[in-house]
C-alpha cells in the first residue's frame, strides 16, 4: 500500500459491489459435540453419551442417522431463546426452515 501521508485526495479507478449471503455453520456431529464436551470439562467419559441421549429423549434435539449431526428441535430452540431472552435485546423469530418439528 502506498504511503498517503499528506495526500488530500485519491482518484478512484474501479469500484465494484458484490452481493452475497452468509450462512450459519453446519450442525455439530455427535463426535464433534463429544470432543467439545471433553475439551470443556463437561461430563465424564461415562456420562457424555447419557447427556446426549437425554437431550434427544426430552425432544430438545435429534440425531440425524445419515450423518450423525445433531439438530435442534423447535422445543430446543425455544428453550435457548427463553434462557437468552432476558439478556438479548435482538430476539429473532423461531420460525425457520432450518429447525425441524
Amino acid at each position: 500500500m502506498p504511503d498517503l501521508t499528506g495526500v488530500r485526495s485519491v482518484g478512484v479507478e474501479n469500484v465494484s459491489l458484490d452481493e452475497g449471503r452468509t450462512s450459519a455453520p453446519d450442525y455439530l456431529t455427535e463426535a464433534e459435540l463429544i470432543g467439545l464436551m471433553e475439551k470443556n470439562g463437561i461430563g465424564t467419559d461415562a456420562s457424555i453419551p447419557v447427556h446426549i441421549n437425554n437431550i434427544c429423549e426430552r425432544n430438545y434435539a435429534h440425531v440425524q442417522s445419515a450423518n450423525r449431526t445433531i439438530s435442534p428441535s423447535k422445543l430446543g430452540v425455544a428453550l435457548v431463546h427463553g434462557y437468552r431472552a432476558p439478556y438479548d435485546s435482538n430476539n429473532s423469530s423461531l420460525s425457520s426452515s432450518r429447525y425441524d418439528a
Side-chain angles (χ1 to χ4, degrees):
M1 181 181 247
D3 182 15
L4 299 176
T5 305
V7 176
R8 292 189 162 226
S9 66
V10 177
V12 177
E13 294 180 12
N14 186 12
V15 175
S16 66
L17 177 64
D18 296 326
E19 185 176 340
R21 292 183 177 260
T22 60
S23 60
D26 291 334
Y27 291 129
L28 295 174
T29 64
E30 238 178 334
E32 291 168 333
L33 178 59
I34 290 169
L36 286 170
M37 290 175 76
E38 289 172 347
K39 178 181 173 185
N40 291 288
I42 300 170
T44 63
D45 288 345
S47 69
I48 288 174
V50 174
H51 293 311
I52 295 172
N53 187 57
N54 285 343
I55 64 169
C56 292
E57 282 187 358
R58 294 174 184 165
N59 197 31
Y60 301 146
H62 307 284
V63 177
Q64 305 301 318
S65 58
N67 53 8
R68 304 302 293 168
T69 57
I70 300 174
S71 59
S73 66
K74 286 185 179 181
L75 175 61
V77 172
L79 183 66
V80 170
H81 281 265
Y83 281 129
R84 287 184 178 169
Y87 311 102
D88 185 9
S89 62
N90 186 19
N91 287 326
S92 61
S93 172
L94 298 179
S95 62
S96 172
S97 60
R98 181 139 192 226
Y99 305 114
D100 55 24

